[in-house]
Amino acid sequence: MGGSRRDKWFLGSTAAAAVVVVLFGLVPPLVALRPLRERDSAAGGGSWGDERLFLRSYESDLSPYSAWNITGTYKGRWNFVETTNGSSRLFDFGNSNGESVLELVSTSTKISGVHYVQGAVTFHDVFDSMHDHVFSKLRLEGVYIWPFRQLRMVASSGGDGKALQEEDYFLSNPYHLLGVFSSQVLQESHQDKIWRRKSLNYDVEKHCNIEIAAQVSRTSGQHVHGDHERYHLEGLLESPKVDDDGECFSPILLNATSLNTEVYYNKAVNYTLMVTFVSFLQVLLLIRQMEHSNTQSGAAKVSVIMIGQQAIMDAYFCLLHLTAGILVESLFNAFATAAFFKFVVFSIFEMRYLLAIWKASRPMNNGEGWETMRRELSVLYSRFYGILLGGILLMYELHNLLRPILFAMYSFWIPQIITNVIRDTRKPLHPHYIIGMTLTRAAIPLYVFGCPSNFLRIQVDRSWCIFLGLFMGLQALILLLQYFLGSRWFIPRQILPEKYCYYRKLENDTNQIADCVICMTGIDLLTQQRSNDYMVTPCDHFFHTGCLQRWMDIKMECPTCRRSLPPA
């Protein structure tokens, strides 16, 4: 393999010679285009059929206006022609078949009927391993002789001769770019990076000549979406003998069909609509929860770590969707809309709620002036954005542990469960908020790792999705039971600390009539038949049960003497 100019001149000359020989009848048309292994034995008929019938069937297609443009992405299968894969000097395949993706860019040339083609073929499932989903990529270039629907390509080094048309296509193809994005962010592990260095391109110049001969045909139902044609490629990838060194690997049969990019585009748009709808629901749930805990006492019951963890998650989702939108220009509007709604959720509503909880948990600092409040705010924001930046660096360093990190991020209900047990708080979260947030936050990871036809092309992991769903469901169930049965319902009474009883019995000599300072009505302690009709504070003040409970939802202070009250 030499420089790119020499390669292009060689390919163009070869194509021109092939066309001239075919058109002038020196060689039957398909003999000149057969795979390498069939050239020597190509005499009469053969596997390609009768050449004269083939040429006569495409005589009407010799106009340049009817040329097929095969630019696009092709997805299919690869497998070795022989049942057993022989020794490979270039790359040691562990599997005998797998998934393949071809990306081709076709440009017309000065030679009538010949197009110059560049692209790459990616072999997935190269190794027989359940954990290492490794791929190998090979860059290609060649010619496409469209009157005979023949594609001939050779391996390219992809070095200094990288063409502008190929890069423009790759930089505008959402299937290619979102696949690269998802492999870099969500899939690629350290082991994948090691094997990618050993890809086919790594040693192709040193040891092997790799050639592809393929037949192009139209698929049925080619006008499903607009005027975009769909094509099918079936060909053979082989490495002929060089200097009696033997083959680099056994011949590989490629079978791929072009992808409908409009369907892929619609999948990505539908995903962003789902994210936008989920974000809108989260805004409504946050407003409902903020109304539920709109008092100082109610806000102090909510865990600041729980809200902060959800805000950091939404900030990460905002950055991910914005990056994907910048990467894929054709989908920028859709991803930017999803990123904007995530930005609204974490920067406006969750940060506002986080600030309210922070202030409610520090009531003594509220009356100390603006300087104290500014210091408190600076501490809050510095911790939040410090954790946000540190989490990005941590996920970059621990890229191969992304799924355990996701489990840690989706344990956001655990801080609230622990806070309820420690403080013995009463109904800090509304049930609608618990159920709604659990369902909406599980939507994105379950789509990415559980949908078999997701647009990010991530392999489905049903066991991981089931485990995540059970994990989040268990957290939500514990919170709901804490709401209805009490915050310490699952802890044995023997190990619980002593708790003050607001319904303690009166002494026998008590014959007074107390006044409830909340409702300004009297409490006849002698005529009260049930002790739970009134409550007694540690400072021996009496109140109606309903009056004091409503008061404690606002302030945990005695209405009479302003003494701090223990949890009920």
Side-chain angles (χ1 to χ4, degrees), residues 451-480:
C451 181
S453 58
N454 64 83
F455 72 98
L456 290 171
R457 295 149 51 190
I458 294 177
Q459 188 169 5
V460 173
D461 191 348
R462 287 187 173 85
S463 60
W464 187 87
C465 293
I466 293 173
F467 190 39
L468 178 66
L470 293 176
F471 180 61
M472 296 186 66
L474 179 61
Q475 297 178 64
L477 179 62
I478 294 175
L479 279 176
L480 291 174

PDB file of all heavy atoms in Angstrom, residues 451-480:
ATOM      1  N   CYS A 451     -34.077  -1.479  25.734  1.00  0.00           N
ATOM      2  CA  CYS A 451     -34.810  -1.474  24.464  1.00  0.00           C
ATOM      3  C   CYS A 451     -33.978  -2.186  23.397  1.00  0.00           C
ATOM      4  O   CYS A 451     -32.841  -1.777  23.123  1.00  0.00           O
ATOM      5  CB  CYS A 451     -35.124  -0.041  24.040  1.00  0.00           C
ATOM      6  SG  CYS A 451     -36.050   0.059  22.487  1.00  0.00           S
ATOM      7  N   PRO A 452     -34.489  -3.245  22.769  1.00  0.00           N
ATOM      8  CA  PRO A 452     -33.671  -3.986  21.791  1.00  0.00           C
ATOM      9  C   PRO A 452     -33.372  -3.209  20.520  1.00  0.00           C
ATOM     10  O   PRO A 452     -32.425  -3.532  19.813  1.00  0.00           O
ATOM     11  CB  PRO A 452     -34.530  -5.221  21.495  1.00  0.00           C
ATOM     12  CG  PRO A 452     -35.912  -4.823  21.853  1.00  0.00           C
ATOM     13  CD  PRO A 452     -35.803  -3.838  22.977  1.00  0.00           C
ATOM     14  N   SER A 453     -34.153  -2.172  20.208  1.00  0.00           N
ATOM     15  CA  SER A 453     -33.918  -1.394  18.983  1.00  0.00           C
ATOM     16  C   SER A 453     -33.640   0.067  19.321  1.00  0.00           C
ATOM     17  O   SER A 453     -34.125   0.963  18.638  1.00  0.00           O
ATOM     18  CB  SER A 453     -35.128  -1.500  18.055  1.00  0.00           C
ATOM     19  OG  SER A 453     -36.300  -1.045  18.719  1.00  0.00           O
ATOM     20  N   ASN A 454     -32.855   0.313  20.379  1.00  0.00           N
ATOM     21  CA  ASN A 454     -32.540   1.691  20.741  1.00  0.00           C
ATOM     22  C   ASN A 454     -31.589   2.300  19.722  1.00  0.00           C
ATOM     23  O   ASN A 454     -30.770   1.601  19.119  1.00  0.00           O
ATOM     24  CB  ASN A 454     -31.947   1.761  22.147  1.00  0.00           C
ATOM     25  CG  ASN A 454     -30.620   1.049  22.263  1.00  0.00           C
ATOM     26  OD1 ASN A 454     -29.568   1.597  21.941  1.00  0.00           O
ATOM     27  ND2 ASN A 454     -30.655  -0.209  22.728  1.00  0.00           N
ATOM     28  N   PHE A 455     -31.696   3.595  19.537  1.00  0.00           N
ATOM     29  CA  PHE A 455     -30.929   4.266  18.487  1.00  0.00           C
ATOM     30  C   PHE A 455     -29.447   4.385  18.836  1.00  0.00           C
ATOM     31  O   PHE A 455     -28.630   4.679  17.967  1.00  0.00           O
ATOM     32  CB  PHE A 455     -31.506   5.656  18.216  1.00  0.00           C
ATOM     33  CG  PHE A 455     -31.232   6.660  19.303  1.00  0.00           C
ATOM     34  CD1 PHE A 455     -30.191   7.556  19.188  1.00  0.00           C
ATOM     35  CD2 PHE A 455     -32.005   6.693  20.445  1.00  0.00           C
ATOM     36  CE1 PHE A 455     -29.922   8.468  20.180  1.00  0.00           C
ATOM     37  CE2 PHE A 455     -31.750   7.607  21.443  1.00  0.00           C
ATOM     38  CZ  PHE A 455     -30.709   8.495  21.312  1.00  0.00           C
ATOM     39  N   LEU A 456     -29.076   4.165  20.099  1.00  0.00           N
ATOM     40  CA  LEU A 456     -27.664   4.239  20.483  1.00  0.00           C
ATOM     41  C   LEU A 456     -26.895   2.959  20.173  1.00  0.00           C
ATOM     42  O   LEU A 456     -25.690   2.907  20.386  1.00  0.00           O
ATOM     43  CB  LEU A 456     -27.557   4.552  21.977  1.00  0.00           C
ATOM     44  CG  LEU A 456     -27.967   5.963  22.388  1.00  0.00           C
ATOM     45  CD1 LEU A 456     -28.020   6.075  23.902  1.00  0.00           C
ATOM     46  CD2 LEU A 456     -27.018   6.994  21.815  1.00  0.00           C
ATOM     47  N   ARG A 457     -27.606   1.913  19.707  1.00  0.00           N
ATOM     48  CA  ARG A 457     -26.986   0.643  19.309  1.00  0.00           C
ATOM     49  C   ARG A 457     -26.240  -0.012  20.467  1.00  0.00           C
ATOM     50  O   ARG A 457     -25.183  -0.608  20.296  1.00  0.00           O
ATOM     51  CB  ARG A 457     -26.037   0.858  18.131  1.00  0.00           C
ATOM     52  CG  ARG A 457     -26.720   1.301  16.863  1.00  0.00           C
ATOM     53  CD  ARG A 457     -25.865   2.189  16.009  1.00  0.00           C
ATOM     54  NE  ARG A 457     -24.547   1.628  15.768  1.00  0.00           N
ATOM     55  CZ  ARG A 457     -23.551   2.294  15.209  1.00  0.00           C
ATOM     56  NH1 ARG A 457     -23.737   3.556  14.853  1.00  0.00           N
ATOM     57  NH2 ARG A 457     -22.387   1.742  15.016  1.00  0.00           N
ATOM     58  N   ILE A 458     -26.791   0.115  21.664  1.00  0.00           N
ATOM     59  CA  ILE A 458     -26.201  -0.501  22.846  1.00  0.00           C
ATOM     60  C   ILE A 458     -26.818  -1.873  23.038  1.00  0.00           C
ATOM     61  O   ILE A 458     -28.029  -2.044  22.901  1.00  0.00           O
ATOM     62  CB  ILE A 458     -26.425   0.385  24.082  1.00  0.00           C
ATOM     63  CG1 ILE A 458     -25.650   1.691  23.913  1.00  0.00           C
ATOM     64  CG2 ILE A 458     -26.008  -0.314  25.356  1.00  0.00           C
ATOM     65  CD1 ILE A 458     -25.855   2.662  25.033  1.00  0.00           C
ATOM     66  N   GLN A 459     -25.987  -2.832  23.365  1.00  0.00           N
ATOM     67  CA  GLN A 459     -26.458  -4.199  23.528  1.00  0.00           C
ATOM     68  C   GLN A 459     -27.376  -4.300  24.747  1.00  0.00           C
ATOM     69  O   GLN A 459     -27.100  -3.754  25.810  1.00  0.00           O
ATOM     70  CB  GLN A 459     -25.273  -5.148  23.678  1.00  0.00           C
ATOM     71  CG  GLN A 459     -25.677  -6.610  23.651  1.00  0.00           C
ATOM     72  CD  GLN A 459     -24.473  -7.513  23.544  1.00  0.00           C
ATOM     73  OE1 GLN A 459     -23.339  -7.040  23.578  1.00  0.00           O
ATOM     74  NE2 GLN A 459     -24.697  -8.803  23.432  1.00  0.00           N
ATOM     75  N   VAL A 460     -28.485  -5.006  24.573  1.00  0.00           N
ATOM     76  CA  VAL A 460     -29.490  -5.129  25.625  1.00  0.00           C
ATOM     77  C   VAL A 460     -28.948  -5.989  26.760  1.00  0.00           C
ATOM     78  O   VAL A 460     -28.318  -7.028  26.533  1.00  0.00           O
ATOM     79  CB  VAL A 460     -30.785  -5.736  25.053  1.00  0.00           C
ATOM     80  CG1 VAL A 460     -31.780  -6.025  26.163  1.00  0.00           C
ATOM     81  CG2 VAL A 460     -31.391  -4.793  24.030  1.00  0.00           C
ATOM     82  N   ASP A 461     -29.180  -5.519  27.989  1.00  0.00           N
ATOM     83  CA  ASP A 461     -28.786  -6.261  29.190  1.00  0.00           C
ATOM     84  C   ASP A 461     -30.022  -6.358  30.089  1.00  0.00           C
ATOM     85  O   ASP A 461     -30.249  -5.518  30.968  1.00  0.00           O
ATOM     86  CB  ASP A 461     -27.637  -5.549  29.902  1.00  0.00           C
ATOM     87  CG  ASP A 461     -27.013  -6.404  30.983  1.00  0.00           C
ATOM     88  OD1 ASP A 461     -27.604  -7.442  31.334  1.00  0.00           O
ATOM     89  OD2 ASP A 461     -25.929  -6.044  31.489  1.00  0.00           O
ATOM     90  N   ARG A 462     -30.833  -7.387  29.856  1.00  0.00           N
ATOM     91  CA  ARG A 462     -32.098  -7.496  30.575  1.00  0.00           C
ATOM     92  C   ARG A 462     -31.899  -7.744  32.065  1.00  0.00           C
ATOM     93  O   ARG A 462     -32.664  -7.236  32.889  1.00  0.00           O
ATOM     94  CB  ARG A 462     -32.948  -8.614  29.956  1.00  0.00           C
ATOM     95  CG  ARG A 462     -33.542  -8.258  28.603  1.00  0.00           C
ATOM     96  CD  ARG A 462     -34.495  -9.335  28.120  1.00  0.00           C
ATOM     97  NE  ARG A 462     -35.172  -8.911  26.903  1.00  0.00           N
ATOM     98  CZ  ARG A 462     -34.686  -9.055  25.689  1.00  0.00           C
ATOM     99  NH1 ARG A 462     -33.484  -9.589  25.529  1.00  0.00           N
ATOM    100  NH2 ARG A 462     -35.358  -8.635  24.619  1.00  0.00           N
ATOM    101  N   SER A 463     -30.908  -8.540  32.427  1.00  0.00           N
ATOM    102  CA  SER A 463     -30.677  -8.824  33.845  1.00  0.00           C
ATOM    103  C   SER A 463     -30.318  -7.550  34.601  1.00  0.00           C
ATOM    104  O   SER A 463     -30.785  -7.334  35.734  1.00  0.00           O
ATOM    105  CB  SER A 463     -29.569  -9.867  33.994  1.00  0.00           C
ATOM    106  OG  SER A 463     -28.352  -9.398  33.414  1.00  0.00           O
ATOM    107  N   TRP A 464     -29.511  -6.684  33.984  1.00  0.00           N
ATOM    108  CA  TRP A 464     -29.152  -5.422  34.632  1.00  0.00           C
ATOM    109  C   TRP A 464     -30.377  -4.533  34.780  1.00  0.00           C
ATOM    110  O   TRP A 464     -30.569  -3.894  35.828  1.00  0.00           O
ATOM    111  CB  TRP A 464     -28.077  -4.720  33.818  1.00  0.00           C
ATOM    112  CG  TRP A 464     -27.531  -3.494  34.479  1.00  0.00           C
ATOM    113  CD1 TRP A 464     -26.505  -3.428  35.381  1.00  0.00           C
ATOM    114  CD2 TRP A 464     -27.986  -2.147  34.309  1.00  0.00           C
ATOM    115  NE1 TRP A 464     -26.291  -2.135  35.776  1.00  0.00           N
ATOM    116  CE2 TRP A 464     -27.190  -1.320  35.136  1.00  0.00           C
ATOM    117  CE3 TRP A 464     -28.979  -1.556  33.543  1.00  0.00           C
ATOM    118  CZ2 TRP A 464     -27.365   0.061  35.202  1.00  0.00           C
ATOM    119  CZ3 TRP A 464     -29.164  -0.185  33.614  1.00  0.00           C
ATOM    120  CH2 TRP A 464     -28.354   0.609  34.439  1.00  0.00           C
ATOM    121  N   CYS A 465     -31.238  -4.490  33.769  1.00  0.00           N
ATOM    122  CA  CYS A 465     -32.445  -3.665  33.841  1.00  0.00           C
ATOM    123  C   CYS A 465     -33.400  -4.183  34.911  1.00  0.00           C
ATOM    124  O   CYS A 465     -34.007  -3.394  35.646  1.00  0.00           O
ATOM    125  CB  CYS A 465     -33.131  -3.639  32.478  1.00  0.00           C
ATOM    126  SG  CYS A 465     -32.201  -2.790  31.184  1.00  0.00           S
ATOM    127  N   ILE A 466     -33.546  -5.503  35.000  1.00  0.00           N
ATOM    128  CA  ILE A 466     -34.426  -6.070  36.028  1.00  0.00           C
ATOM    129  C   ILE A 466     -33.881  -5.764  37.419  1.00  0.00           C
ATOM    130  O   ILE A 466     -34.636  -5.399  38.331  1.00  0.00           O
ATOM    131  CB  ILE A 466     -34.574  -7.589  35.813  1.00  0.00           C
ATOM    132  CG1 ILE A 466     -35.337  -7.863  34.510  1.00  0.00           C
ATOM    133  CG2 ILE A 466     -35.276  -8.241  36.991  1.00  0.00           C
ATOM    134  CD1 ILE A 466     -35.389  -9.326  34.131  1.00  0.00           C
ATOM    135  N   PHE A 467     -32.574  -5.889  37.572  1.00  0.00           N
ATOM    136  CA  PHE A 467     -31.974  -5.604  38.873  1.00  0.00           C
ATOM    137  C   PHE A 467     -32.146  -4.134  39.238  1.00  0.00           C
ATOM    138  O   PHE A 467     -32.454  -3.803  40.398  1.00  0.00           O
ATOM    139  CB  PHE A 467     -30.490  -5.983  38.840  1.00  0.00           C
ATOM    140  CG  PHE A 467     -29.827  -5.957  40.183  1.00  0.00           C
ATOM    141  CD1 PHE A 467     -30.487  -6.405  41.315  1.00  0.00           C
ATOM    142  CD2 PHE A 467     -28.531  -5.477  40.325  1.00  0.00           C
ATOM    143  CE1 PHE A 467     -29.878  -6.391  42.555  1.00  0.00           C
ATOM    144  CE2 PHE A 467     -27.923  -5.440  41.565  1.00  0.00           C
ATOM    145  CZ  PHE A 467     -28.601  -5.907  42.687  1.00  0.00           C
ATOM    146  N   LEU A 468     -31.971  -3.230  38.259  1.00  0.00           N
ATOM    147  CA  LEU A 468     -32.165  -1.801  38.532  1.00  0.00           C
ATOM    148  C   LEU A 468     -33.613  -1.503  38.894  1.00  0.00           C
ATOM    149  O   LEU A 468     -33.889  -0.727  39.830  1.00  0.00           O
ATOM    150  CB  LEU A 468     -31.744  -0.987  37.310  1.00  0.00           C
ATOM    151  CG  LEU A 468     -31.936   0.535  37.427  1.00  0.00           C
ATOM    152  CD1 LEU A 468     -31.012   1.105  38.496  1.00  0.00           C
ATOM    153  CD2 LEU A 468     -31.685   1.227  36.090  1.00  0.00           C
ATOM    154  N   GLY A 469     -34.570  -2.104  38.171  1.00  0.00           N
ATOM    155  CA  GLY A 469     -35.979  -1.877  38.475  1.00  0.00           C
ATOM    156  C   GLY A 469     -36.352  -2.368  39.868  1.00  0.00           C
ATOM    157  O   GLY A 469     -37.076  -1.691  40.610  1.00  0.00           O
ATOM    158  N   LEU A 470     -35.855  -3.549  40.249  1.00  0.00           N
ATOM    159  CA  LEU A 470     -36.132  -4.059  41.591  1.00  0.00           C
ATOM    160  C   LEU A 470     -35.477  -3.206  42.661  1.00  0.00           C
ATOM    161  O   LEU A 470     -36.058  -2.981  43.736  1.00  0.00           O
ATOM    162  CB  LEU A 470     -35.651  -5.509  41.698  1.00  0.00           C
ATOM    163  CG  LEU A 470     -36.393  -6.537  40.841  1.00  0.00           C
ATOM    164  CD1 LEU A 470     -35.745  -7.904  40.978  1.00  0.00           C
ATOM    165  CD2 LEU A 470     -37.865  -6.606  41.226  1.00  0.00           C
ATOM    166  N   PHE A 471     -34.275  -2.736  42.395  1.00  0.00           N
ATOM    167  CA  PHE A 471     -33.554  -1.905  43.358  1.00  0.00           C
ATOM    168  C   PHE A 471     -34.287  -0.594  43.620  1.00  0.00           C
ATOM    169  O   PHE A 471     -34.490  -0.185  44.773  1.00  0.00           O
ATOM    170  CB  PHE A 471     -32.142  -1.651  42.832  1.00  0.00           C
ATOM    171  CG  PHE A 471     -31.285  -0.810  43.726  1.00  0.00           C
ATOM    172  CD1 PHE A 471     -30.978  -1.226  45.005  1.00  0.00           C
ATOM    173  CD2 PHE A 471     -30.791   0.408  43.289  1.00  0.00           C
ATOM    174  CE1 PHE A 471     -30.179  -0.449  45.841  1.00  0.00           C
ATOM    175  CE2 PHE A 471     -30.002   1.190  44.106  1.00  0.00           C
ATOM    176  CZ  PHE A 471     -29.693   0.753  45.387  1.00  0.00           C
ATOM    177  N   MET A 472     -34.736   0.074  42.549  1.00  0.00           N
ATOM    178  CA  MET A 472     -35.468   1.329  42.723  1.00  0.00           C
ATOM    179  C   MET A 472     -36.851   1.090  43.312  1.00  0.00           C
ATOM    180  O   MET A 472     -37.348   1.881  44.129  1.00  0.00           O
ATOM    181  CB  MET A 472     -35.578   2.057  41.386  1.00  0.00           C
ATOM    182  CG  MET A 472     -34.261   2.496  40.797  1.00  0.00           C
ATOM    183  SD  MET A 472     -34.478   3.501  39.320  1.00  0.00           S
ATOM    184  CE  MET A 472     -35.263   4.947  40.002  1.00  0.00           C
ATOM    185  N   GLY A 473     -37.510  -0.008  42.902  1.00  0.00           N
ATOM    186  CA  GLY A 473     -38.812  -0.319  43.463  1.00  0.00           C
ATOM    187  C   GLY A 473     -38.756  -0.608  44.950  1.00  0.00           C
ATOM    188  O   GLY A 473     -39.663  -0.221  45.704  1.00  0.00           O
ATOM    189  N   LEU A 474     -37.702  -1.280  45.404  1.00  0.00           N
ATOM    190  CA  LEU A 474     -37.546  -1.561  46.833  1.00  0.00           C
ATOM    191  C   LEU A 474     -37.362  -0.272  47.628  1.00  0.00           C
ATOM    192  O   LEU A 474     -37.951  -0.111  48.716  1.00  0.00           O
ATOM    193  CB  LEU A 474     -36.351  -2.492  47.041  1.00  0.00           C
ATOM    194  CG  LEU A 474     -36.032  -2.876  48.490  1.00  0.00           C
ATOM    195  CD1 LEU A 474     -37.199  -3.623  49.120  1.00  0.00           C
ATOM    196  CD2 LEU A 474     -34.759  -3.708  48.556  1.00  0.00           C
ATOM    197  N   GLN A 475     -36.571   0.656  47.106  1.00  0.00           N
ATOM    198  CA  GLN A 475     -36.398   1.945  47.789  1.00  0.00           C
ATOM    199  C   GLN A 475     -37.728   2.692  47.908  1.00  0.00           C
ATOM    200  O   GLN A 475     -38.071   3.218  48.986  1.00  0.00           O
ATOM    201  CB  GLN A 475     -35.396   2.806  47.030  1.00  0.00           C
ATOM    202  CG  GLN A 475     -33.985   2.257  46.949  1.00  0.00           C
ATOM    203  CD  GLN A 475     -33.091   3.163  46.131  1.00  0.00           C
ATOM    204  OE1 GLN A 475     -32.836   4.318  46.493  1.00  0.00           O
ATOM    205  NE2 GLN A 475     -32.609   2.660  45.009  1.00  0.00           N
ATOM    206  N   ALA A 476     -38.482   2.732  46.796  1.00  0.00           N
ATOM    207  CA  ALA A 476     -39.769   3.435  46.823  1.00  0.00           C
ATOM    208  C   ALA A 476     -40.748   2.759  47.775  1.00  0.00           C
ATOM    209  O   ALA A 476     -41.516   3.442  48.483  1.00  0.00           O
ATOM    210  CB  ALA A 476     -40.355   3.502  45.411  1.00  0.00           C
ATOM    211  N   LEU A 477     -40.739   1.433  47.836  1.00  0.00           N
ATOM    212  CA  LEU A 477     -41.643   0.712  48.733  1.00  0.00           C
ATOM    213  C   LEU A 477     -41.331   1.022  50.193  1.00  0.00           C
ATOM    214  O   LEU A 477     -42.257   1.219  51.007  1.00  0.00           O
ATOM    215  CB  LEU A 477     -41.533  -0.795  48.462  1.00  0.00           C
ATOM    216  CG  LEU A 477     -42.411  -1.706  49.332  1.00  0.00           C
ATOM    217  CD1 LEU A 477     -43.887  -1.388  49.108  1.00  0.00           C
ATOM    218  CD2 LEU A 477     -42.112  -3.163  49.040  1.00  0.00           C
ATOM    219  N   ILE A 478     -40.064   1.072  50.546  1.00  0.00           N
ATOM    220  CA  ILE A 478     -39.692   1.398  51.931  1.00  0.00           C
ATOM    221  C   ILE A 478     -40.153   2.807  52.294  1.00  0.00           C
ATOM    222  O   ILE A 478     -40.673   3.047  53.397  1.00  0.00           O
ATOM    223  CB  ILE A 478     -38.168   1.248  52.120  1.00  0.00           C
ATOM    224  CG1 ILE A 478     -37.758  -0.220  51.966  1.00  0.00           C
ATOM    225  CG2 ILE A 478     -37.730   1.775  53.479  1.00  0.00           C
ATOM    226  CD1 ILE A 478     -36.260  -0.441  52.014  1.00  0.00           C
ATOM    227  N   LEU A 479     -39.994   3.756  51.369  1.00  0.00           N
ATOM    228  CA  LEU A 479     -40.441   5.124  51.640  1.00  0.00           C
ATOM    229  C   LEU A 479     -41.955   5.205  51.811  1.00  0.00           C
ATOM    230  O   LEU A 479     -42.460   5.924  52.692  1.00  0.00           O
ATOM    231  CB  LEU A 479     -39.991   6.051  50.505  1.00  0.00           C
ATOM    232  CG  LEU A 479     -38.551   6.559  50.549  1.00  0.00           C
ATOM    233  CD1 LEU A 479     -38.247   7.374  49.307  1.00  0.00           C
ATOM    234  CD2 LEU A 479     -38.312   7.396  51.788  1.00  0.00           C
ATOM    235  N   LEU A 480     -42.700   4.474  50.988  1.00  0.00           N
ATOM    236  CA  LEU A 480     -44.157   4.491  51.113  1.00  0.00           C
ATOM    237  C   LEU A 480     -44.607   3.872  52.435  1.00  0.00           C
ATOM    238  O   LEU A 480     -45.535   4.378  53.083  1.00  0.00           O
ATOM    239  CB  LEU A 480     -44.793   3.748  49.935  1.00  0.00           C
ATOM    240  CG  LEU A 480     -44.675   4.428  48.565  1.00  0.00           C
ATOM    241  CD1 LEU A 480     -45.213   3.513  47.466  1.00  0.00           C
ATOM    242  CD2 LEU A 480     -45.435   5.752  48.559  1.00  0.00           C
TER     243      LEU A 480
END
